[in-house]
Amino acid sequence: MASKAVYSHRDPMLKKRDDFEDMLEERRNSSDLRYALRCYTPVLYKGLTPCKASELKRMVLQSDQLRYVINQVCKETDMTTDEVAGEAAAILEEMAHRLQLSTVRFFAFTLTKVFKTLFRSICVNEEGIQRLQQAIHNHPVVLLPSHRSYMDFLLMSYILYTYDLALPVIAAGMDFMGMKVVGEMLRMSGAFFIRRSFGGDKLYWAVFSEYVKIMVKTGYAPLEFFLEGTRSRTAKSLTPKLGLLNIVMDPFLKGEVFDVSLVPVSISYERTLEEALYARELLGIPKPKESTSGLFKARKILSEDYGSIHVYFGQPVSVRSLAESRVNRSQFNLIPRHIPMRPSEEILSFVNDSAYRLVRAQEENMVLKPWVLLAFVLLQNQADGQSRGTALDELTEQAAWLRDLSRQYGAFLHWPDHIPHSEVVASSLSLHRGLVRISEGRVQLALEQVGGQQGPGETHSAITPEEELLSKAVVILSCVSYRNQALHIFIRPALLASAIHSAASNRKQEIYNRFSFLRNIFSNEFILCPGATLQDFEEACYLLLKTGTLQINQQEVLITERGHRTLAFLTSVLDPFLQGYQVVCRFLCEEEGLAEKQFIPGVRKFIIKHLLTGTVRYIEVLSSDLQKNALAALIRLGAVRKIKGGEEQGTLKLNKVMLSSLEDTLEGKLPTQKSVVARL
């Protein structure tokens, strides 16, 4: 580690962000039908030759790449060319969109009614819309929204239609096709359907990748997909999936287009529609299958208030600029373009780094509402054993303190400054009244709700301790999903605070080693860019220096008198994750020959037992997301190995010495730390 104590990071407080406009305001004051049927004349890509969806399919089926793969499959399977080509046509028919303006107009009318009922406002940065319009005109555009709700892609198309922008074609999972009528309507509003995994299906991959690439090369329409691959059930950003990003960059890398514009979009919900559904999924209660009847049963949500949505269209990112001095494109001149190539290590590294950068851009423009900070405080107070809750004035003071800290760390916070803190807090508590209880001036999480509603003449059977715990866990995990929205603000300072807290001395090098260890362990849990450990350490040091929490010289890191409160808060941010990973290590140390599919049920049962006996403090460690991330980290570090073939396929081989060392190190038992750090 460099020993220079100079931190030249640009102050996040100086980051210029656009203002928002409420797009629902005009909708509330004008005819919905006139809006849906208005003249729609979007700006299109300057190089576009307009073509129908059917023409797009013809171009795919006649492409050199697909013909090459069809010939390869014929040789491998003894099928005729016509049979394989027919199979390719069937795959494309199942996959392709059929974008029709009439369906979009229907959705525009219907969604206006729904949005005006559900949301107080939908706020959009209009400067971002103007940048996007310019980008669509100049280059093929790829829209990359964050993904926290089913509402996301409907919302994106609605916004683009409202602002007279070209409608996107959207990559959607096959599960939506199970919704029959709605699935077909989504197809006619621009969705194309892809399998969640392709396995080794060479033909499917060729049809899919060629379909996407032709849309990019022709500038047919803005392409939209979710970098995270699926909805985040925890409101934390997920590790980006690289397949689609690799495909959309390919035409630039092969010199088939001059540039491609990647536009990160941050969608922030004040209250998430799927709040309790996600919590139950994380506890092992399967999600309902997508169906049209299920959609109609969900109509009861129309009587609820879901607050506001903020949608921030980020700066378009040029693939040409990203690739400059990173990628030698001459390598693509050596092989004909139509022959599929496995990406080189250089390309994979470039795409991976770009994906992390884009997800960070999404995070930085997420708008945090006051409830996010209140959830932080309420969860920490609950974990600290404040069974009577927190006095309302004390909660307000804690939230206001956290507001100031998060702003100093560069948070994009929507906290009205012209309204007294007490009113802001009261409004947030009211919106989320299903998760909190206020009694005698004290606020606490609504953990006493057990067993659901009791009908007339009904009696509840006795509730087991386990059922009561899981009922509480639904509320806890719902709150955690809001707290998680701000984790990207605090994670680097929190890693540093935990490193300081558990290091044996205040020596800077030792604290850096500890920081590096923790960052490595949690790199499946948070968006931490590969190879940026020193940069993250310096950023954390800068923020804690700037806020007067630390004094740092060449050799030592010292806590200031006023820094103890900040450091205590930051340490507590990471505590649930530290305990979760410790418990997973402990569980695996007690297991023999565990099958991978038994891991989640087994560790859940283990955690429930320890929560009921009080040896585990944080109910949120029941989250299957945390458990899966912990296992992924242990596999990456070599403490667990997956058997991939033979009789033991799917079995987890456990290095118990290493698991035990990791558990001790996570717990802060420092004698074993050096050996584990060295091993990692």
Side-chain angles (χ1 to χ4, degrees), residues 538-583:
E538 290 184 342
E539 181 183 321
C541 287
Y542 169 75
L543 291 172
L544 291 179
L545 270 171
K546 186 183 77 136
T547 51
T549 304
L550 299 179
Q551 289 178 347
I552 302 176
N553 58 36
Q554 296 283 350
Q555 301 296 329
E556 291 183 321
V557 176
L558 305 170
I559 306 168
T560 64
E561 190 59 41
R562 70 182 219 187
H564 288 285
R565 181 180 185 180
T566 302
L567 221 60
F569 163 74
L570 291 171
T571 304
S572 69
V573 168
L574 215 55
D575 279 350
F577 299 97
L578 284 164
Q579 185 167 88
Y581 281 47
Q582 284 170 35
V583 172

Side-chain angles (χ1 to χ4, degrees), residues 621-637:
V621 303
L622 277 169
S623 165
S624 60
D625 181 75
L626 185 148
Q627 295 154 14
K628 287 172 188 172
N629 288 338
L631 180 62
L634 294 172
I635 290 170
R636 176 171 49 80
L637 297 174

Side-chain angles (χ1 to χ4, degrees), residues 273-285:
L273 273 74
E274 300 97 331
E275 177 185 281
L277 178 70
Y278 287 167
R280 292 189 176 96
E281 270 190 61
L282 292 169
L283 293 167
I285 303 164

Side-chain angles (χ1 to χ4, degrees), residues 431-459:
L431 183 66
H432 296 274
R433 56 188 171 274
L435 298 176
V436 290
R437 290 287 171 268
I438 305 174
S439 176
E440 299 176 359
R442 301 187 75 83
V443 184
Q444 62 187 101
L445 297 177
L447 302 181
E448 77 284 359
Q449 303 177 62
V450 179
Q453 297 297 312
Q454 201 170 322
E458 290 181 352
T459 56

Side-chain angles (χ1 to χ4, degrees), residues 42-53:
V43 171
L44 302 174
Y45 172 48
K46 63 187 179 186
L48 174 66
T49 303
C51 67
K52 295 181 179 177

Side-chain angles (χ1 to χ4, degrees), residues 348-359:
L348 287 174
S349 173
F350 164 66
V351 174
N352 191 48
D353 290 351
S354 300
Y356 272 87
R357 175 175 167 173
L358 290 159
V359 175

